[in-house]
C-alpha cells in the first residue's frame, strides 16, 4: 500500500508541476511548504500549552495561599530587557579564546556560585523581590519567554514557603499533591530551557540563565518543596545532568572554557542535594574511567588522541573533587549509593593506569589519583 501511495503521489506531482520547473524542484518546493505549515502549527500548540500551564500555575498558587499577593514591581518583559542589555557585554567576553583573561571579574561573572549566594542574600533580606506571574506575552517567540514563566512561578512558590515559615502567611502545601502535574511540568520546562541555553552558542550566560539556575537550586535545597520535585521530576533531573555532562565533553568551540566553567558550577550546585550528589558521582565516574582507558590504549599503541576531549575531561575532575570533598566533610552522609558497581569499576587496576600514564600525562594522572584518594576517604568515613 505504501509503495502504491508513493507512486500515486509521484504521478500527481509530475502532472501538476508548473511549466519551467523540474519534478525535483517542484517536489522540494512542496516539501518545504508542508514543513513550514507543520512548524507553524507546532509553534501554535506550544504557545497554547504554555498559556494553559500559566493558568494552572496561577490557580495552584491561589489554592495554596488565596491571600498571597505582592506588588508587581517588574515583569517578564523587564527581565528579558535586562538580559538583552547585558548579553552584549557577555558576548564580548566570549569573543576571546578564553586562554588569557586579564580581568578576573569577567571570568567570575560567568560563575553561577557567587550569583547563587547573592540570590540567597537578596531572598532573605527582602520580601518584595517576587512578583505576580504576568500573562504570557504571545509576541515573544524566543525560548526566553518559556524559561521566564516557570522561573517566576517557582519564585512564587519559594516566597510563599519562606513567608509561611515566618508566620506571615498561612499556606496549604498539600495542594501540591493534588496538582502534581503543574509543578512537575514547570520544573520540566525549566530544565529544558536551561539545557537549550547551555547548549546554544547564541545564548551566552545571562541574568535570566543565572536566575533560573538559582531558582532551581533553591527549590532543590528547600526541605519541603524538594520532596515534591524529586518525587515527580527525578528522571528529568537525571536527564538534565547527563545533558550537562555531554555538553562539557562534546564542546569543541575555541571559546568554550568560560561556558564550561558555568556548566560545571551548575552541576556542583546540583550536588548540594544528597540524592542528586550520589547519582551525579555515579554518572561522572564511568566517563572519567572510560576516557582514562582510551588514553592508555592510545598511549600504548602510540596513536593520536583527541586533545579537545582531553581538555574537556578536567572540568569533570574538578566537579568530582568538589562533590567528594563535600562528602568527606559531612561524614553523616553515606556514600553507599555509589559504592557499588561504578566505584568498583573505577578503582579496578587504577594504580596501573596511573603508573603507565604518569610520565606522558602527569597532570591527568595527578587528578586521577586525587579522585581515587577522595573516593577511598569517603569509604573510610
Amino acid at each position: 500500500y505504501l509503495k502504491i501511495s508513493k507512486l500515486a503521489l509521484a504521478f500527481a506531482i509530475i502532472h501538476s508541476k508548473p511549466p519551467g520547473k523540474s519534478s525535483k524542484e517542484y517536489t522540494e518546493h512542496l516539501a518545504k511548504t508542508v514543513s513550514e505549515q507543520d512548524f507553524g502549527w507546532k509553534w501554535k500548540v506550544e504557545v497554547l500549552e504554555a498559556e494553559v500551564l500559566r493558568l494552572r500555575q496561577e490557580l495552584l498558587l491561589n489554592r495554596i495561599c488565596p491571600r498571597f499577593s505582592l506588588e508587581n514591581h517588574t515583569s517578564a518583559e523587564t527581565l528579558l530587557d535586562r538580559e538583552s542589555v547585558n548579553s552584549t557585554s557577555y558576548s564580548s567576553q566570549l569573543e576571546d579564546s578564553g586562554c588569557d583573561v586579564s580581568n578576573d571579574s569577567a571570568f567570575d561573572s560567568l560563575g553561577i556560585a557567587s550569583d547563587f549566594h547573592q540570590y540567597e542574600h537578596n531572598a532573605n533580606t527582602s520580601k518584595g523581590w517576587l512578583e505576580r506571574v504576568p500573562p504570557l506575552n504571545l509576541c515573544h517567540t524566543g525560548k526566553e519567554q518559556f524559561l521566564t514563566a516557570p522561573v517566576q512561578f517557582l519564585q512564587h512558590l519559594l516566597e510563599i514557603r519562606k513567608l509561611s515559615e515566618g508566620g506571615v502567611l498561612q499556606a496549604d502545601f498539600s495542594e501540591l499533591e493534588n496538582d502534581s502535574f503543574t509543578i512537575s511540568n514547570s520544573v520540566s520546562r525549566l530544565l529544558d530551557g536551561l539545557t537549550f541555553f547551555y547548549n546554544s552558542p547564541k545564548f551566552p550566560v545571562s541574568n535570566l540563565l543565572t536566575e533560573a539556575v538559582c531558582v532551581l537550586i533553591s527549590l532543590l535545597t528547600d526541605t519541603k518543596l524538594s520532596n515534591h520535585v524529586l518525587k515527580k521530576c527525578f528522571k528529568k533531573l537525571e536527564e538534565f545532568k547527563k545533558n550537562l555532562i555531554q555538553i562539557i565533553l562534546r564542546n569543541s568551540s575555541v571559546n568554550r572554557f568560560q561556558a564550561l566553567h558555568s556548566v560545571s558550577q551548575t552541576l556542583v550546585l546540583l550536588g548540594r542535594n544528597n540524592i542528586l550528589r550520589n547519582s551525579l558521582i555515579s554518572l561522572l565516574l564511568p566517563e572519567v574511567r572510560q576516557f582514562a582507558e582510551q588514553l592508555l590504549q592510545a598511549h600504548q599503541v602510540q596513536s593520536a588522541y583527541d586533545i579537545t576531549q582531553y581538555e574537556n575531561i578536567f572540568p569533570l575532575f574538578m566537579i568530582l573533587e568538589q562533590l567528594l570533598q563535600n562528602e568527606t566533610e559531612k561524614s553523616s552522609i553515606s556514600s553507599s549509593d555509589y559504592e557499588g558497581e561504578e566505584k568498583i569499576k573505577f578503582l579496578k587496576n587504577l594504580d596501573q593506569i596511573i603508573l603507565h600514564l604518569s610520565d606522558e600525562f602527569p597532570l591527568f594522572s595527578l587528578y586521577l589519583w586525587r579522585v581515587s584518594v577522595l573516593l577511598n576517604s569517603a569509604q573510610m568515613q
Side-chain angles (χ1 to χ4, degrees), residues 51-307:
E51 176 66 7
V52 171
L53 179 61
R54 185 190 65 79
L55 294 174
R56 296 189 63 151
Q57 290 169 345
E58 289 186 350
L59 181 62
L60 178 59
L61 290 174
N62 288 328
R63 287 176 176 174
I64 293 175
C65 187
R67 294 186 303 161
F68 179 70
S69 177
L70 291 175
E71 185 178 357
N72 188 10
H73 294 294
T74 60
S75 63
E77 289 79 6
T78 306
L79 186 61
L80 293 176
D81 291 340
R82 189 171 68 222
E83 176 200 354
S84 62
V85 169
N86 288 283
S87 62
T88 305
S89 62
Y90 285 111
S91 300
S92 63
Q93 293 171 12
L94 294 179
E95 289 174 1
D96 180 326
S97 67
C99 298
D100 183 15
V101 180
S102 57
N103 186 1
D104 292 337
S105 62
F107 183 80
D108 293 337
S109 65
L110 291 174
I112 302 298
S114 59
D115 297 310
F116 176 65
H117 294 309
Q118 182 63 35
Y119 179 89
E120 285 182 320
H121 173 74
N122 293 340
N124 292 330
T125 56
S126 172
K127 291 183 180 180
W129 61 272
L130 191 60
E131 308 80 33
R132 278 189 297 176
V133 179
L136 181 66
N137 188 348
L138 300 184
C139 296
H140 283 289
T141 58
K143 293 289 184 179
E144 303 97 322
Q145 186 64 53
F146 291 101
L147 183 58
T148 303
V151 165
Q152 291 187 333
F153 165 69
L154 296 173
Q155 281 179 330
H156 274 77
L157 217 55
L158 290 166
E159 180 68 2
I160 293 175
R161 172 87 170 101
K162 182 169 69 73
L163 295 179
S164 63
E165 272 189 339
V168 179
L169 294 175
Q170 290 183 350
D172 182 14
F173 284 94
S174 62
E175 290 292 335
L176 292 178
E177 295 287 351
N178 301 329
D179 190 7
S180 59
F181 168 82
T182 300
I183 188 170
S184 61
N185 200 352
S186 299
V187 174
S188 178
R189 284 175 176 267
L190 176 63
L191 295 176
D192 289 339
L194 286 172
T195 303
F196 175 81
F197 270 66
Y198 275 131
N199 212 10
S200 175
K202 297 180 181 178
F203 293 94
V205 177
S206 63
N207 288 342
L208 177 60
L209 180 59
T210 301
E211 188 166 355
V213 173
C214 293
V215 168
L216 176 63
I217 301 304
S218 297
L219 192 68
L220 293 173
T221 53
D222 187 285
T223 54
K224 194 165 188 175
L225 295 177
S226 62
N227 294 330
H228 296 282
V229 177
L230 291 173
K231 184 163 55 176
K232 301 295 181 181
C233 307
F234 183 77
K235 290 184 178 179
K236 188 70 177 181
L237 285 165
E238 289 295 289
E239 180 185 347
F240 177 62
K241 290 186 295 183
K242 291 178 182 177
N243 288 335
L244 293 189
I245 292 173
Q246 292 306 313
I247 287 174
I248 293 176
L249 291 175
R250 295 176 181 176
N251 197 325
S252 59
S253 172
V254 175
N255 301 313
R256 68 186 183 275
F257 298 107
Q258 293 174 341
L260 294 187
H261 173 75
S262 63
V263 177
S264 302
Q265 287 299 316
T266 301
L267 286 170
V268 171
L269 289 173
L270 287 174
R272 283 183 165 212
N273 183 280
N274 297 338
I275 298 175
L276 296 182
R277 177 172 61 249
N278 291 335
S279 64
L280 180 55
I281 293 174
S282 297
L283 292 173
L284 292 169
L285 287 176
E287 294 288 350
V288 173
R289 172 72 191 203
Q290 181 181 1
F291 181 77
E293 293 175 348
Q294 293 174 354
L295 191 62
L296 176 62
Q297 183 179 6
H299 175 63
Q300 288 175 339
V301 299
Q302 297 297 312
S303 63
Y305 65 94
D306 188 347
I307 185 63

